Amino acid sequence: MTIQELFNDDDGMFMGTPKSKFFDIVFNANRNLVEEELEALIERMCALELIAEQHEENLEQKLQEVLFTNSEEIEAKKFDTFVNSMGNILTQNE
């Protein structure tokens, strides 16, 4: 069984989507751990943005193109990011 089946399958282990479970965890886990995880996500996003700016003059336009033309890949990456972030918070929340 894949991780996606754990969320999408009616008989799966988790009820709901990774996004809904992520927010359940964010609103109920230790605040310091959640802040650390969110800060790490923002820091990573900023670093990637700096890298992109160094290689792309029209970053905002390119970003919109990528979001439009790669919507399935973006959704898959969002899924993975929600799952990874949940794991990061939960493993430290014990």
Side-chain angles (χ1 to χ4, degrees), residues 22 25-26 30-44 80-92:
F22 171 82
I25 290 167
V26 164
N30 177 289
R31 182 181 172 119
N32 291 331
L33 295 175
V34 171
E35 285 178 3
E36 288 174 15
E37 181 62 23
L38 293 174
E39 186 173 354
L41 287 170
I42 297 296
E43 187 176 71
R44 182 175 169 84
D80 291 344
T81 301
F82 281 126
V83 171
N84 289 334
S85 292
M86 282 187 288
N88 291 341
I89 293 168
L90 290 174
T91 57
Q92 297 177 44

Side-chain angles (χ1 to χ4, degrees), residues 55-93:
H55 299 284
E56 184 67 46
E57 287 185 27
N58 299 317
L59 182 59
E60 194 59 37
Q61 180 181 353
K62 183 65 175 177
L63 179 62
Q64 293 305 316
E65 286 176 25
V66 169
L67 289 170
F68 180 76
T69 59
N70 299 295
S71 60
E72 289 181 20
E73 289 100 344
I74 298 293
E75 286 302 312
K77 290 220 173 271
K78 282 173 48 180
F79 183 99
D80 291 344
T81 301
F82 281 126
V83 171
N84 289 334
S85 292
M86 282 187 288
N88 291 341
I89 293 168
L90 290 174
T91 57
Q92 297 177 44
N93 198 43

